[in-house]
Amino acid sequence: MQEITQLLRAAQAGDRAAADQVVGRLYADLQRLARSRLRRSGDLTLLDTQALVHEAWLRLEGVPDAEFPDRRYFLAYVARAMRSVVIDLVRARQADRRGGGAQALTLNTAVAELAPQDEDHVLRVHEALEELAQLEPRLAQVVEMRYFGGLLEQEIAQALNVTERTVQRDWQKARLFLAMSLKT
């Protein structure tokens, strides 16, 4: 764990070899995040696990001031980058046919058991999450990490430097807010 932290610091300082080593050592975790994200979006993205990991990595390389003090922060940021990749691909596919046929949303933490969602569903969640981020940024981070990234409460608590109980309360508040936002 300490070695990953040192490699992340070296990568931030511009060491390309260190950045490649971080990805190599955390590749299994990155694939787990990508599998979780793709399971939720079904065939909407036309990406496989490896392609999503690589797309997210390309986005991370394009952010010069990103700071990753340790593995948890890095994985949380990657989860956000993967979400961004999926949302951008869905938006591109929806450019000609936006609107209509919207369905109600139920946020569920059983990521592996969820059926694939349609494009409208993914975009509606994204838009509601953007609104939540304006009001309560930490709640939005919890949703991103749990709903989009498939992280566990313990991992989220560590990444946000809060208790697991705080994550549980934040998750409940965020679900309520998003459910109300998505009903309208």
Side-chain angles (χ1 to χ4, degrees), residues 158-177:
Q158 290 172 345
L160 296 177
N161 202 24
V162 297
T163 65
E164 282 185 60
R165 181 64 188 131
T166 298
V167 170
Q168 293 166 354
R169 281 192 300 266
D170 287 352
W171 176 244
Q172 289 173 341
K173 290 178 198 175
R175 284 181 59 191
L176 179 62
F177 175 87

Side-chain angles (χ1 to χ4, degrees), residues 9-177:
R9 288 188 181 132
Q12 285 175 256
D15 185 349
R16 175 71 182 168
D20 291 341
Q21 284 183 17
V22 167
V23 172
R25 292 181 186 196
L26 294 179
Y27 199 75
D29 291 326
L30 297 174
Q31 284 188 312
R32 179 180 57 88
L33 286 172
R35 259 190 305 281
S36 172
R37 179 61 249 157
L38 290 174
R39 198 175 299 123
R40 303 198 108 261
S41 61
D43 62 350
L44 298 178
T45 64
L46 304 176
L47 289 175
D48 61 8
T49 304
Q50 183 179 11
L52 183 55
V53 168
H54 291 204
E55 286 291 326
W57 177 243
L58 289 173
R59 292 208 179 180
L60 290 175
E61 285 187 320
V63 180
D65 298 332
E67 286 193 31
F68 311 115
D70 59 24
R71 176 187 168 276
R72 294 178 308 239
Y73 285 94
F74 178 73
L75 291 177
Y77 197 84
V78 170
R80 178 177 286 164
M82 287 181 184
R83 171 181 165 232
S84 175
V85 168
V86 169
I87 293 299
D88 288 349
L89 288 170
V90 168
R91 280 185 176 155
R93 287 183 59 184
Q94 285 263 313
D96 294 333
R97 53 191 169 118
R98 179 128 174 135
Q103 297 177 2
L105 165 73
T106 300
L107 289 178
N108 188 342
T109 59
V111 174
E113 299 171 8
L114 291 177
Q117 301 156 353
D118 64 14
E119 293 172 347
D120 291 333
H121 178 84
V122 172
L123 287 175
R124 288 182 65 221
V125 170
H126 170 71
E127 290 164 357
L129 191 56
E130 290 293 313
E131 184 181 344
L132 178 61
Q134 294 295 318
L135 300 171
E136 295 282 344
R138 190 179 73 209
L139 296 183
Q141 287 177 314
V142 169
V143 173
E144 281 180 341
M145 288 185 233
R146 188 168 180 170
Y147 183 72
F148 287 99
L151 298 178
L152 302 174
E153 289 174 351
Q154 179 183 8
E155 294 170 315
I156 297 168
Q158 290 172 345
L160 296 177
N161 202 24
V162 297
T163 65
E164 282 185 60
R165 181 64 188 131
T166 298
V167 170
Q168 293 166 354
R169 281 192 300 266
D170 287 352
W171 176 244
Q172 289 173 341
K173 290 178 198 175
R175 284 181 59 191
L176 179 62
F177 175 87

